[in-house]
Amino acid sequence: MKILYFGGQKSGKSNLAEQKTLEISSKKPYYLATYDNSFNDKEMHKRIDKHKLQRKEQFTTIEESKDLIKVLSKSKKEDTFLVDCMSMWLFNNIKQNEEYLINQLEEISKLDANIIFVLNDVNSGIIPFDSESRKFVDMTGIVGQKLAQICDEVYEVKLGLASRLK
C-alpha cells in the first residue's frame, strides 16, 4: 500500500502520517528521514528534535537525503516505511532533472512494501521571482502529481484534519 499525506507547513501531516504508519504496520516501521544535516540550520534541528520526541522509539530511523531507492529497494512485503519528507528529498535533488525524479518514484511504485509519503503543499502561492525557487515549486507540483498517481490513498491535511481525496 502506498499513501500520501500533503499539506502546508505545520498542518499536522507528519503526525497523521505517523499514526497511519503505526496503524498499518505489522512490525516496527521504518522512518526514512530525508533532511540533509549538512546545512547546519539550528531551527531545522529543533524541528527534527521535535519529530524525534513525537515518534519516540516506535520507529527504526534511517537517514537518506537523496537516493530513496537505495533504502527502499531492500524492503520486504511486511515492511512499512514513512518517508518524511518528500519536499526535503526534492530539495536535496533539485539539481537533478525531472526524468530522474519521476524514474525514482516509478521504481518505488513497483515495490511490494507499505510506504507512506509526506509532502509539503507549496503550490498555492505566488510564482517565485528566482529560478531556483520556481523550479522547486514546479517540481513539487510534478512530484505531488506523480505521488498521487502511484498512491492507493491520498490525504490533504489542514489544521490537523485529513480529507481523503483518493
Side-chain angles (χ1 to χ4, degrees):
M1 175 171 272
K2 311 289 185 291
I3 302 171
L4 171 63
Y5 284 86
F6 76 96
Q9 250 181 248
K10 298 296 181 192
S11 62
K13 60 193 173 297
S14 290
N15 186 41
L16 291 170
E18 286 176 15
Q19 290 173 24
K20 181 67 130 183
T21 303
L22 293 168
E23 178 185 309
I24 68 169
S25 49
S26 59
K27 63 179 197 169
K28 189 173 184 178
Y30 297 95
Y31 187 101
L32 184 47
T34 60
Y35 181 69
D36 182 346
N37 283 318
S38 67
F39 298 113
N40 200 25
D41 182 337
K42 290 178 182 171
E43 193 272 330
M44 279 301 290
H45 286 283
K46 286 180 185 175
R47 288 174 182 239
I48 290 166
D49 290 343
K50 184 177 178 184
H51 277 278
K52 286 178 181 176
L53 279 173
Q54 182 176 303
R55 65 181 183 263
K56 301 175 185 139
E57 298 297 320
Q58 298 176 44
F59 291 81
T60 299
T61 301
I62 302 169
E63 294 183 10
E64 178 52 53
S65 61
K66 291 187 178 181
D67 190 356
L68 299 179
I69 292 294
K70 183 169 80 174
V71 173
L72 295 172
S73 65
K74 299 172 187 169
S75 66
K76 299 178 186 102
K77 186 175 183 172
E78 67 273 6
D79 289 340
T80 302
F81 292 85
L82 170 57
V83 183
D84 196 358
C85 87
M86 293 302 288
S87 301
M88 281 293 139
W89 168 78
L90 176 57
F91 180 75
N92 297 332
N93 284 293
I94 199 69
K95 301 291 184 200
Q96 300 290 346
N97 62 34
E98 180 180 333
E99 183 180 357
Y100 170 84
L101 300 172
I102 296 302
N103 284 342
Q104 246 197 61
L105 297 177
E106 287 175 351
E107 288 302 310
I108 290 169
S109 74
K110 297 173 188 172
L111 300 175
D112 195 19
N114 294 320
I115 306 172
I116 294 86
F117 303 95
V118 175
L119 176 71
N120 286 307
D121 182 7
V122 297
N123 295 312
S124 298
I126 61 168
I127 298 171
F129 285 116
D130 66 282
S131 62
E132 283 290 298
S133 297
R134 269 194 312 275
K135 182 177 181 182
F136 179 76
V137 170
D138 290 349
M139 289 308 300
T140 299
I142 291 165
V143 165
Q145 287 181 57
K146 186 62 177 181
L147 284 169
Q149 178 190 5
I150 68 172
C151 285
D152 304 292
E153 297 177 11
V154 177
Y155 296 91
E156 180 179 21
V157 180
K158 292 182 180 185
L159 305 172
L161 302 171
S163 296
R164 185 171 177 173
L165 303 180
K166 177 180 175 184

